[in-house]
Amino acid sequence: MATSAASSVAPRASLARRLFATVDIASLVCFRVLFGLLMFVEVWRDLPHIAEVYIEPEFHFTFHGLAWVRPLPGDGTYVVFGVLGLAALCVTIGLCYRAAALVFFLGISYVFLLEQGVYLNHIYLIALISFLMIFMPAHRAGSVDAWLRPRLHDRAAPAWALWLVRAQIGIPYFYAGLAKLNPDWLRGEPMRMWLRERADLPLVGPLLREWWAAYFFSYGGLVFDLLVVPALLWRRTRAWAFALALCFHLINTAVFSIGIFPWVMMAATTIFFEPDWPRRLRNRIAAQVGAPPWPAPLLAGPPVRLARSQRVMLAGLAVYVVWQLLFPLRHWLYPGDVAWTEEGHKFAWRMKLRDKDGYVRFYATDPERGETWKIETRGRLSGWQREEMSGRPEMILQFAHFLADDLRRRGHPTIEIRVVALVALNGREPQMLIDPTVDLARVEPTLRPSPWILHDLVD
């Protein structure tokens, strides 16, 4: 029994120790450079939209418990984006790398939390990656820091840094595929609706109108998301999986407007290659032009025994990864279809799964005066805010509270706010999303299931 117990523990201990062996740092450096450049491009692309999204709206939809996160007054938001661009460049060249990574993480997280109406999974992923980069020694080579401080230079890095990035990239892929295993996606919706809207594209437009196109994109995306990470991890299929990933993301870029996300994923997918691939590629080119090769690093094997600091770090890594694995599953704690109720939808890698079309009407009732009237939302919300809010119960509740507070200040202390929200999900007929008899001014925001959301979605 003792021998059996020891043998069952040994593989786990060996795996833990292997995470602290060293690998070639070249892949991590390449990832740092690509990530930093793409983040600078993202910041630059967002500059023309700062006023429209963060400055002009009278009201901002915030995340639960974070209503205190507000845009800075005056030109403060422009300053934030300027600092973000500078931090991205510093990450790229490895200048004051850890401080730059910290500043970028704090800045992108702040911008992300300012307006729930522009929530994007790829900005959430960028915030997570930038958080991890604070702790990764990606500046020990190919950086200004290593040039200014030669003692910092090291051509090797701990294996845990590489595997942590791989895990962070792999989790969105897997959960995106898992989320596609739902009846709507398997019958080709909402993909069919989106492809029809893009039928005027040159060359491929006529193909997008074909009956099989929706199934090709739907099932192709499902299989790709579920299998691409295992295929990238297996050496025999890695090159083919990488080529397929490039094609997949380039097609998404051409057909759908999803910003910089495909480029981030293409750059991140390189992390699944062998850690020394940039060095080997550079040395092949150097051999052709007669330049000296980059020497390979001296790698250290797994430690015989983990130090206390290593055990603490391992525990921290385990907590982070387990959280990333469990948090996207929280929608199973809520009743109804998550695509309809939105409870547990965000931060769960449920990407491009639903299309909602509808309208929301807010009605105020003053019981003391016996009056009921419709509240006009135009002028209080931007067009894109109204469109985004129409199918999101949490955002509707937030705006109802904003309207109630405003009316109380105007002399209606007992005001009641009710909503008529008719929404069509993935091509269905419009249906009531919210119980129109409930006074939303009295409903407190909560993470628990919301009984005022109508869960009975009719197909």
Side-chain angles (χ1 to χ4, degrees):
M1 292 293 291
T3 303
S4 176
S7 62
S8 65
V9 173
R12 291 196 293 271
S14 178
L15 174 61
R17 291 197 301 268
R18 286 201 297 270
L19 290 176
F20 292 93
T22 58
V23 296
D24 196 312
I25 201 174
S27 181
L28 206 59
V29 170
C30 181
F31 175 76
R32 186 203 78 216
V33 172
L34 292 174
F35 180 77
L37 284 174
L38 287 171
M39 293 308 97
F40 180 78
V41 172
E42 175 73 354
V43 171
W44 183 266
R45 289 176 66 254
D46 286 342
L47 289 178
H49 308 291
I50 291 176
E52 176 189 3
V53 176
Y54 303 107
I55 298 176
E56 294 173 357
E58 174 190 2
F59 174 79
H60 289 283
F61 293 99
T62 57
F63 291 88
H64 182 80
L66 297 172
W68 51 270
V69 180
R70 296 291 183 184
L72 297 177
D75 294 331
T77 307
Y78 285 98
V79 173
V80 170
F81 274 81
V83 172
L84 276 173
L86 181 61
L89 287 178
C90 288
V91 168
T92 303
I93 64 176
L95 174 62
C96 301
Y97 164 76
R98 290 197 187 277
L102 175 62
V103 168
F104 188 85
F105 164 69
L106 294 175
I108 198 67
S109 299
Y110 167 72
V111 170
F112 175 73
L113 296 174
L114 282 178
E115 174 57 68
Q116 187 181 166
V118 291
Y119 172 90
L120 290 171
N121 282 285
H122 79 256
I123 301 299
Y124 174 50
L125 178 61
I126 285 170
L128 293 176
I129 293 174
S130 60
F131 170 73
L132 298 181
M133 292 192 72
I134 299 171
F135 308 99
M136 292 188 297
H139 62 315
R140 291 181 182 174
S143 69
V144 175
D145 286 347
W147 177 64
L148 293 176
R149 292 182 290 164
R151 294 182 61 181
L152 177 67
H153 185 268
D154 194 343
R155 293 192 295 270
W160 64 260
L162 202 64
W163 281 103
L164 187 58
V165 178
R166 288 172 175 172
Q168 187 62 82
I169 300 303
I171 287 171
Y173 273 127
F174 175 73
Y175 279 110
L178 199 63
K180 290 180 174 64
L181 293 171
N182 70 78
D184 279 7
W185 189 266
L186 296 178
R187 66 183 176 90
E189 296 294 355
M191 186 61 66
R192 182 178 290 104
M193 302 166 60
W194 296 334
L195 294 182
R196 287 173 181 169
E197 293 173 357
R198 290 157 178 81
D200 59 345
L201 289 175
L203 299 179
V204 299
L207 294 177
L208 300 182
R209 287 192 291 263
E210 296 292 334
W211 68 269
W212 50 262
Y215 295 103
F216 174 80
F217 277 87
S218 296
Y219 284 82
L222 188 157
V223 173
F224 172 82
D225 285 337
L226 288 177
L227 298 183
V228 65
V229 171
L232 285 168
L233 290 172
W234 193 24
R235 182 176 299 181
R236 293 185 178 182
T237 55
R238 185 175 297 147
W240 291 102
F242 181 71
L244 183 61
L246 293 182
C247 293
F248 176 84
H249 291 300
L250 288 173
I251 290 173
N252 278 338
T253 299
V255 178
F256 304 108
S257 300
I258 49 179
I260 205 168
F261 180 69
W263 302 99
V264 171
M265 296 307 286
M266 283 189 281
T269 304
T270 63
I271 205 74
F272 288 91
F273 282 101
E274 294 298 326
D276 63 343
W277 75 264
R279 186 183 306 279
R280 289 187 285 108
L281 178 61
R282 186 267 176 192
N283 286 347
R284 287 180 185 176
I285 298 173
Q288 298 296 322
V289 299
W294 283 347
L298 296 176
L299 302 179
V304 176
R305 186 176 182 180
L306 292 179
R308 181 178 181 181
S309 60
Q310 291 173 324
R311 292 196 297 271
V312 171
M313 177 176 288
L314 190 63
L317 296 176
V319 169
Y320 179 83
V321 173
V322 169
W323 173 260
Q324 290 297 317
L325 291 172
L326 294 180
F327 194 59
L329 300 176
R330 71 192 188 285
H331 66 88
W332 292 108
L333 301 176
Y334 298 94
D337 185 343
V338 61
W340 176 249
T341 68
E342 300 285 327
E343 294 184 297
H345 175 85
K346 290 183 172 66
F347 310 104
W349 312 118
R350 300 181 58 83
M351 296 176 277
K352 305 292 286 183
L353 292 176
R354 79 273 197 265
D355 185 281
K356 287 183 173 179
D357 185 25
Y359 69 86
V360 182
R361 301 290 183 267
F362 291 85
Y363 295 91
T365 298
D366 189 331
E368 294 182 352
R369 302 183 184 182
E371 298 177 353
T372 297
W373 65 96
K374 176 186 172 183
I375 303 176
E376 182 57 58
T377 59
R378 294 183 184 275
R380 313 298 297 271
L381 293 174
S382 301
W384 59 268
Q385 286 181 310
R386 293 197 307 272
E387 181 179 353
E388 190 69 20
M389 177 189 66
S390 65
R392 315 298 194 264
E394 180 188 1
M395 296 173 66
I396 292 173
L397 178 63
Q398 275 194 40
F399 193 61
H401 277 242
F402 169 76
L403 294 174
D405 291 341
D406 181 63
L407 287 169
R408 291 186 188 109
R409 288 191 295 268
R410 295 173 182 267
H412 301 275
T414 59
I415 199 69
E416 300 173 356
I417 303 292
R418 291 178 177 83
V419 166
V420 174
L422 277 174
V423 180
L425 172 66
N426 293 342
R428 293 176 175 84
E429 291 297 319
Q431 301 175 46
M432 282 286 190
L433 176 62
I434 292 174
D435 187 343
T437 67
V438 174
D439 174 17
L440 294 185
R442 300 289 183 267
V443 175
E444 291 300 323
T446 178
L447 295 178
R448 295 189 297 271
S450 302
W452 48 273
I453 301 176
L454 300 177
H455 299 140
D456 296 330
L457 180 62
V458 180
D459 285 318

